[in-house]
Amino acid sequence: MIEIGSKIPKRYPVSLAPMMDWTDRHFRYLLRLISKHTFLYTEMIHTGAILHGDRKRFLSYNPEELPLAIQLGGDQPKALAECSKISEDYGYSEVNLNVGCPSDRVREGNFGACLMETPEKVAELVAAMDSSVSIPITVKCRIGIPGKESFEDLCRFIEVVKDAGVRRFIIHARIAILGGLSPAQNRQIPPLRYADVERIKQTFPDLVVEINGGIRTYDEIEERLKKNDGVMIGRAAYETPYFFSEIDSRFFGENSLPPSRREILIRMQDYLDRYVLGEPNSKPHFVLRHLLGLFHAEKGARSYRRILTEQMFSHYTRDLLFQAAGEIPDSALDFIPSQNKKRNFESTIASA
Ligand SMILES: Cc1cc2nc3c(=O)[nH]c(=O)nc-3n(C[C@H](O)[C@H](O)[C@H](O)COP(=O)(O)O)c2cc1C
């Protein structure tokens, strides 16, 4: 019998946020090429999809993505316990419960952020999950919901859920407004309250407390890491994935150089070829859409995006990616951030 709370999660200073429709296995593969150490999360997967849907499609991932947490959504202890066990058998590193999604559909299903109303219910869910696996069970939540938005409410939530075995909390530093705001507005309108998340770490020093929401620069990450154990990044990772090229050296003590974007393109083309050949219902744009932000703010980025978006859906040919990248100057393609020098890399776009 494994003791409650004995599964201590590893500490990762930086993680990639779960994002529906964005952080699928193709995007995660791309991010893993850019950062070897960032802890990755899947999109939220509802227990019903795993138990009654195409399980393999929902759960499979590329082994390179590890360490990788799966995020589950649900409100039934038995189903969550079963899905946690299945996830462990698939090789996931951790199972995370979504207690932060504010969407109407999710609220109607009685999971996501509305669970913050009932900490005892969350405790029941995570206890069931915890007792079925030997990997850590973690929770991603908000700082509150209307009516339960004080620091004391948040403390009580953490206290009750921690006692059921959770040792890692990732806290989006905004309340979730249920009803009236779309999920996108709920990521923008409620003000960020970083101080509340920092006080949670001070109040529960033995927990791994990670902060999320609106973090976009290395300086901000550094600042937040002074008071929290980790920083989770969402939109900035998706919109500007090459931002992660300095994460390993700055926050994980990695000495080796990150790949240039030319190398990344070559590896992604290789990945795309294997995917298109290897999977019956594959579509090139399922992979290519995640590459649109790779040259964000670089000269030629607009033409690169235009060529990809115009052709990836119906006019895909194998040279599309490199044709689009032809719009980007060599200086950007070969740039390696921390070293600011060209790497002696033999492959070229022409030979890829
Ligand atoms: C397109 C999109 C989908 C999201 N899907 C999820 C999800 O499935 N599970 C979850 O916990 N949060 C989800 N989120 C919220 C993010 O994980 C994160 O908490 C939020 O974007 C704030 O972080 P950021 O400011 O770094 O983007 C989603 C966000 C976006 C933009």
Side-chain angles (χ1 to χ4, degrees):
M1 177 74 184
I2 297 167
E3 227 181 287
I4 284 184
S6 63
K7 302 158 197 167
I8 305 297
K10 265 187 80 171
R11 184 169 174 260
Y12 298 98
V14 181
S15 61
L16 170 71
M19 289 182 284
M20 292 280 278
D21 194 42
W22 286 10
T23 54
D24 63 13
R25 66 191 158 113
H26 307 310
F27 181 74
R28 298 191 307 257
Y29 184 83
L30 167 68
L31 205 87
R32 178 60 77 227
L33 289 180
I34 301 171
S35 165
K36 291 192 277 197
H37 301 296
T38 297
F39 191 43
L40 307 181
Y41 284 75
T42 67
E43 311 159 86
M44 177 181 71
I45 307 173
H46 188 259
T47 50
I50 297 174
L51 297 177
H52 312 298
D54 181 351
R55 182 176 301 174
K56 190 158 173 269
R57 180 167 81 81
F58 287 112
L59 294 186
S60 36
Y61 58 87
N62 305 287
E64 293 86 347
E65 294 169 41
L66 293 165
L68 172 66
I70 183 168
Q71 188 187 60
L72 297 180
D75 72 329
Q76 298 299 317
K78 193 162 166 283
L80 282 164
E82 212 177 316
C83 289
S84 300
K85 178 73 186 106
I86 294 167
S87 304
E88 179 173 45
D89 293 344
Y90 262 75
Y92 283 96
S93 319
E94 289 188 15
V95 182
N96 178 264
L97 180 66
N98 183 323
V99 188
C101 181
S103 87
D104 291 345
R105 200 174 51 81
V106 161
R107 186 164 52 115
E108 280 157 21
N110 197 32
F111 62 104
C114 67
L115 286 171
M116 292 203 76
E117 184 79 49
T118 48
E120 288 76 12
K121 167 88 180 170
V122 177
E124 183 196 358
L125 301 179
V126 294
M129 295 162 78
D130 191 66
S131 64
S132 73
V133 294
S134 58
I135 52 177
I137 301 297
T138 68
V139 162
K140 178 169 181 275
C141 62
R142 296 279 186 138
I143 51 172
I145 51 176
K148 292 246 167 157
E149 55 195 289
S150 69
F151 179 71
E152 290 66 37
D153 290 325
L154 179 60
C155 269
R156 193 175 121 61
F157 175 83
I158 301 287
E159 176 84 47
V160 171
V161 177
K162 144 187 114 50
D163 286 347
V166 172
R167 289 294 170 270
R168 188 201 302 285
F169 288 85
I170 307 104
I171 309 178
H172 183 174
R174 290 185 171 92
I175 62 162
I177 300 194
L178 305 173
L181 288 191
S182 69
Q185 290 171 320
N186 253 311
R187 294 190 281 268
Q188 213 63 49
I189 293 175
L192 285 161
R193 288 179 8 205
Y194 291 144
D196 284 23
V197 186
E198 293 168 1
R199 279 176 73 197
I200 289 292
K201 177 63 194 176
Q202 285 161 10
T203 312
F204 302 96
D206 296 340
L207 294 179
V208 178
V209 180
E210 302 182 359
I211 190 163
N212 166 243
I215 299 161
R216 290 194 162 262
T217 67
Y218 301 126
D219 286 348
E220 284 169 348
I221 297 175
E222 240 160 63
E223 193 54 34
R224 304 270 73 85
L225 285 176
K226 287 180 187 159
K227 303 248 174 87
N228 282 112
D229 297 304
V231 166
M232 173 180 268
I233 300 180
R235 286 163 290 184
Y238 193 79
E239 289 156 13
T240 57
Y242 203 59
F243 168 64
F244 271 66
S245 59
E246 288 186 55
I247 292 288
D248 287 358
S249 60
R250 285 174 183 258
F251 302 106
F252 289 89
E254 175 63 49
N255 291 322
S256 69
L257 292 174
S260 69
R261 277 169 284 190
R262 190 191 300 276
E263 288 174 79
I264 289 167
L265 288 178
I266 290 167
R267 291 192 203 166
M268 285 308 293
Q269 182 65 51
D270 188 44
Y271 174 82
L272 181 57
D273 291 343
R274 279 185 277 126
Y275 164 66
V276 170
L277 280 177
E279 294 190 30
N281 297 317
S282 59
K283 299 265 187 300
H285 67 264
F286 289 170
V287 173
L288 289 170
R289 71 192 181 107
H290 297 308
L291 292 167
L292 291 172
L294 192 59
F295 295 99
H296 178 83
E298 298 289 356
K299 201 161 168 260
R302 190 185 285 229
S303 308
Y304 162 84
R305 286 176 71 99
R306 183 180 43 75
I307 293 170
L308 277 187
T309 39
E310 278 175 4
Q311 298 188 43
M312 68 181 167
F313 296 102
S314 47
H315 298 95
Y316 174 73
T317 54
R318 203 182 160 271
D319 62 356
L320 174 59
L321 188 53
F322 297 109
Q323 184 200 333
E327 300 293 319
I328 306 291
D330 282 352
S331 55
L333 280 164
D334 293 319
F335 179 73
I336 297 170
S338 44
Q339 305 294 320
N340 195 8
K341 66 179 184 190
K342 280 193 175 190
R343 188 199 296 225
N344 181 15
F345 189 71
E346 286 165 6
S347 312
T348 62
I349 282 185
S351 67

XYZ file of all heavy atoms in Angstrom, residues 44-47 71-76 80 96-119 121-122 125 139-142 144-145 157 176-178:
361
model
N -6.638 18.632 -22.199
C -7.548 17.920 -21.295
C -8.284 16.811 -22.065
O -8.774 17.033 -23.178
C -8.588 18.880 -20.718
C -9.583 18.161 -19.825
S -10.821 19.285 -19.157
C -11.771 19.658 -20.603
N -8.336 15.633 -21.466
C -9.081 14.528 -22.081
C -10.147 14.085 -21.075
O -9.832 13.792 -19.911
C -8.136 13.346 -22.412
C -6.946 13.846 -23.246
C -8.903 12.242 -23.156
C -5.868 12.806 -23.482
N -11.396 14.056 -21.523
C -12.459 13.656 -20.604
C -12.438 12.139 -20.411
O -12.130 11.390 -21.349
C -13.821 14.112 -21.147
C -14.925 13.896 -20.158
N -15.801 12.833 -20.230
C -15.249 14.583 -19.039
C -16.636 12.895 -19.198
N -16.324 13.950 -18.468
N -12.779 11.717 -19.215
C -12.756 10.268 -18.930
C -13.620 9.486 -19.925
O -13.250 8.381 -20.321
C -13.274 9.991 -17.505
O -14.517 10.687 -17.335
C -12.281 10.457 -16.448
N -3.597 15.343 -18.788
C -4.604 16.048 -17.998
C -5.978 15.427 -18.240
O -6.421 15.310 -19.379
C -4.672 17.534 -18.336
C -5.598 18.245 -17.341
C -5.883 19.687 -17.673
O -6.418 19.997 -18.732
N -5.534 20.582 -16.768
N -6.623 15.042 -17.147
C -7.948 14.439 -17.242
C -9.015 15.437 -16.805
O -8.781 16.279 -15.935
C -8.046 13.202 -16.351
C -7.113 12.026 -16.685
C -7.347 10.888 -15.687
C -7.324 11.529 -18.119
N -10.188 15.303 -17.421
C -11.354 16.050 -16.972
C -12.426 15.053 -16.595
O -12.608 14.038 -17.287
N -13.132 15.313 -15.502
C -14.199 14.397 -15.103
C -14.645 14.673 -13.693
O -14.025 15.470 -12.977
N -15.740 14.021 -13.291
C -16.247 14.233 -11.924
C -16.649 12.926 -11.258
O -17.301 12.946 -10.218
C -17.428 15.216 -11.938
C -18.695 14.599 -12.534
O -18.574 13.724 -13.427
O -19.796 14.971 -12.109
N -16.269 11.795 -11.858
C -16.635 10.505 -11.282
C -15.385 9.807 -10.752
O -14.468 9.501 -11.535
C -17.280 9.612 -12.354
C -18.577 10.165 -12.929
C -19.645 10.329 -11.864
O -19.835 9.462 -11.015
N -20.324 11.480 -11.865
N -12.353 8.313 -13.088
C -11.042 8.985 -13.023
C -9.957 8.019 -12.549
O -8.827 8.053 -13.042
C -11.122 10.211 -12.102
C -11.770 11.449 -12.734
C -12.171 12.468 -11.680
C -10.826 12.087 -13.770
N -2.849 14.676 -14.181
C -3.284 15.963 -13.657
C -4.800 16.073 -13.801
O -5.358 15.697 -14.825
C -2.589 17.084 -14.467
C -3.020 18.466 -14.032
O -3.909 19.074 -14.617
N -2.393 18.962 -12.995
N -5.442 16.595 -12.770
C -6.890 16.789 -12.827
C -7.200 18.252 -13.145
O -6.669 19.160 -12.491
C -7.533 16.389 -11.488
C -9.056 16.543 -11.443
C -9.757 15.567 -12.393
C -9.587 16.349 -10.023
N -8.073 18.459 -14.116
C -8.461 19.824 -14.495
C -9.512 20.374 -13.525
O -10.629 19.869 -13.460
C -9.011 19.814 -15.936
C -9.363 21.206 -16.432
O -9.861 22.052 -15.691
N -9.105 21.454 -17.705
N -9.115 21.408 -12.788
C -10.054 22.087 -11.896
C -10.017 23.580 -12.251
O -10.111 24.450 -11.387
C -9.689 21.819 -10.408
C -10.782 22.352 -9.473
C -9.507 20.326 -10.142
N -9.831 23.871 -13.553
C -9.682 25.279 -13.923
C -10.461 25.690 -15.149
O -10.594 26.884 -15.420
N -10.996 24.710 -15.898
C -11.656 25.089 -17.158
C -13.032 25.705 -16.875
O -13.863 25.110 -16.198
C -11.796 23.882 -18.079
S -12.582 24.339 -19.629
N -13.283 26.930 -17.403
C -14.533 27.624 -17.090
C -15.625 27.451 -18.146
O -16.671 28.066 -18.033
C -14.075 29.087 -17.075
C -13.000 29.143 -18.119
C -12.359 27.779 -18.178
N -15.409 26.634 -19.190
C -16.354 26.669 -20.314
C -17.731 26.165 -19.874
O -17.862 25.363 -18.943
C -15.835 25.837 -21.495
O -16.228 24.496 -21.360
N -18.768 26.641 -20.562
C -20.139 26.260 -20.199
C -20.331 24.754 -20.323
O -20.963 24.123 -19.487
C -21.144 26.963 -21.139
C -21.188 28.458 -20.874
O -20.671 28.881 -19.813
O -21.718 29.196 -21.732
N -19.769 24.190 -21.394
C -19.954 22.753 -21.638
C -19.343 21.938 -20.486
O -19.931 20.983 -19.997
C -19.282 22.387 -22.976
C -19.768 21.097 -23.585
C -19.163 20.902 -24.975
N -17.711 21.068 -24.988
C -16.858 20.123 -24.630
N -17.286 18.949 -24.251
N -15.549 20.347 -24.673
N -18.174 22.380 -20.067
C -17.479 21.685 -18.986
C -18.255 21.859 -17.674
O -18.426 20.926 -16.895
C -16.023 22.211 -18.891
C -15.395 21.893 -17.552
C -15.185 21.632 -20.029
N -18.778 23.063 -17.476
C -19.539 23.316 -16.240
C -20.808 22.465 -16.215
O -21.183 21.914 -15.184
C -19.903 24.803 -16.162
C -20.557 25.170 -14.843
C -20.527 26.657 -14.663
N -21.063 27.324 -15.821
C -22.180 28.055 -15.831
N -22.873 28.210 -14.736
N -22.600 28.649 -16.920
N -21.440 22.329 -17.397
C -22.636 21.477 -17.453
C -22.294 20.036 -17.099
O -23.098 19.303 -16.549
C -23.270 21.530 -18.853
C -24.117 22.786 -19.057
C -24.277 23.151 -20.526
O -24.104 22.267 -21.397
O -24.549 24.340 -20.799
N -21.081 19.624 -17.415
C -20.628 18.268 -17.069
C -20.147 18.179 -15.622
O -19.663 17.139 -15.190
N -20.217 19.298 -14.904
C -19.848 19.325 -13.491
C -18.376 19.028 -13.229
O -18.023 18.401 -12.233
C -20.746 18.358 -12.693
C -20.678 18.646 -11.223
O -20.494 19.812 -10.833
N -20.773 17.617 -10.404
N -17.500 19.441 -14.145
C -16.069 19.301 -13.867
C -15.375 20.619 -14.213
O -16.038 21.629 -14.441
C -15.465 18.077 -14.564
C -15.529 18.071 -16.069
C -14.397 18.346 -16.819
C -16.703 17.788 -16.735
C -14.442 18.331 -18.206
C -16.770 17.778 -18.117
C -15.631 18.059 -18.857
N -14.039 20.620 -14.198
C -13.321 21.871 -14.451
C -13.441 22.815 -13.261
O -13.537 22.392 -12.103
N -13.457 24.128 -13.549
C -13.353 25.150 -12.489
C -14.481 25.085 -11.465
O -14.277 25.415 -10.291
C -13.311 26.539 -13.118
N -15.686 24.617 -11.871
C -16.796 24.615 -10.913
C -16.511 23.677 -9.737
O -17.106 23.812 -8.671
C -18.121 24.278 -11.593
S -18.224 22.603 -12.198
N -15.564 22.772 -9.901
C -15.210 21.881 -8.784
C -14.558 22.638 -7.626
O -14.473 22.117 -6.506
C -14.259 20.771 -9.268
C -14.879 19.649 -10.124
C -13.785 18.759 -10.699
C -15.865 18.820 -9.301
N -14.099 23.881 -7.903
C -13.487 24.647 -6.796
C -14.520 24.982 -5.720
O -14.180 25.286 -4.583
C -12.816 25.920 -7.314
C -11.591 25.602 -8.155
S -10.422 26.948 -8.252
C -9.612 26.886 -6.653
N -15.780 24.897 -6.100
C -16.873 25.115 -5.144
C -16.861 24.053 -4.042
O -17.258 24.314 -2.911
C -18.185 25.019 -5.946
C -19.463 25.288 -5.211
C -19.682 26.785 -5.030
O -19.562 27.530 -6.020
O -19.946 27.168 -3.896
N -16.418 22.853 -4.392
C -16.540 21.710 -3.473
C -15.197 20.996 -3.292
O -14.944 19.946 -3.912
C -17.565 20.696 -4.037
O -17.234 20.462 -5.429
C -18.981 21.194 -3.939
N -14.322 21.550 -2.444
C -13.010 20.930 -2.237
C -13.115 19.458 -1.807
O -12.287 18.635 -2.223
C -12.386 21.770 -1.115
C -13.190 23.013 -1.020
C -14.507 22.775 -1.664
N -15.244 17.263 -2.707
C -15.492 16.451 -3.906
C -14.163 16.230 -4.658
O -13.861 15.118 -5.097
C -16.513 17.187 -4.793
C -16.653 16.664 -6.180
C -17.669 15.556 -6.240
C -17.805 15.017 -7.654
N -18.580 13.814 -7.723
N -13.367 17.301 -4.791
C -12.067 17.164 -5.471
C -11.182 16.186 -4.691
O -10.500 15.329 -5.267
C -11.372 18.542 -5.632
C -10.001 18.387 -6.276
C -12.235 19.473 -6.451
N -12.156 12.765 -5.543
C -11.696 12.378 -6.888
C -10.212 12.026 -6.878
O -9.794 10.974 -7.381
C -11.948 13.513 -7.897
C -13.398 13.976 -8.082
C -13.469 15.127 -9.091
C -14.273 12.822 -8.541
N -2.941 18.650 -9.489
C -4.158 19.420 -9.767
C -3.781 20.758 -10.392
O -2.852 21.424 -9.945
C -4.960 19.648 -8.457
C -5.960 20.785 -8.598
C -5.697 18.367 -8.053
N -4.510 21.116 -11.456
C -4.386 22.475 -12.008
C -5.699 23.201 -11.728
O -6.769 22.708 -12.102
C -4.114 22.428 -13.511
C -4.027 23.807 -14.161
C -3.488 23.708 -15.588
C -3.357 25.052 -16.261
N -4.601 25.519 -16.893
N -5.599 24.322 -11.029
C -6.817 25.017 -10.625
C -6.661 26.519 -10.845
O -5.626 26.990 -11.322
C -7.129 24.708 -9.158
S -5.844 25.253 -8.019
N -7.672 27.265 -10.513
C -7.655 28.733 -10.522
C -7.430 29.214 -9.094
O -7.445 28.422 -8.156
C -9.004 29.242 -11.040
C -9.310 28.860 -12.484
C -8.621 29.793 -13.430
N -8.993 29.566 -14.818
C -9.246 30.558 -15.682
N -9.176 31.831 -15.311
N -9.551 30.300 -16.941
N -9.671 30.892 -7.683
C -11.005 30.888 -7.099
C -12.080 31.014 -8.158
O -11.791 31.035 -9.358
N -13.302 31.033 -7.676
C -14.462 31.294 -8.537
C -15.342 32.281 -7.761
O -15.183 32.409 -6.542
C -15.249 29.988 -8.870
C -15.572 29.215 -7.585
C -14.495 29.120 -9.851
C -16.427 27.984 -7.824
N -9.180 25.187 0.018
C -9.207 24.252 -1.114
C -7.907 23.438 -1.146
O -7.930 22.206 -1.220
C -9.388 25.041 -2.427
C -9.309 24.183 -3.658
C -10.424 23.483 -4.112
C -8.114 24.036 -4.356
C -10.346 22.659 -5.229
C -8.023 23.222 -5.477
C -9.144 22.531 -5.910
N -11.918 32.166 -12.110
C -12.681 31.810 -13.303
C -14.104 32.288 -13.090
O -14.708 31.998 -12.049
C -12.674 30.302 -13.495
N -14.614 33.036 -14.038
C -15.995 33.510 -13.939
C -16.872 32.531 -14.709
O -16.682 32.339 -15.918
C -16.107 34.944 -14.483
C -15.182 35.807 -13.616
C -17.557 35.426 -14.483
C -15.332 37.265 -13.700
N -17.761 31.886 -14.000
C -18.550 30.817 -14.621
C -19.866 31.390 -15.144
O -20.686 31.869 -14.366
C -18.798 29.696 -13.609
C -17.522 29.130 -12.981
C -17.827 28.144 -11.871
C -16.650 28.477 -14.047
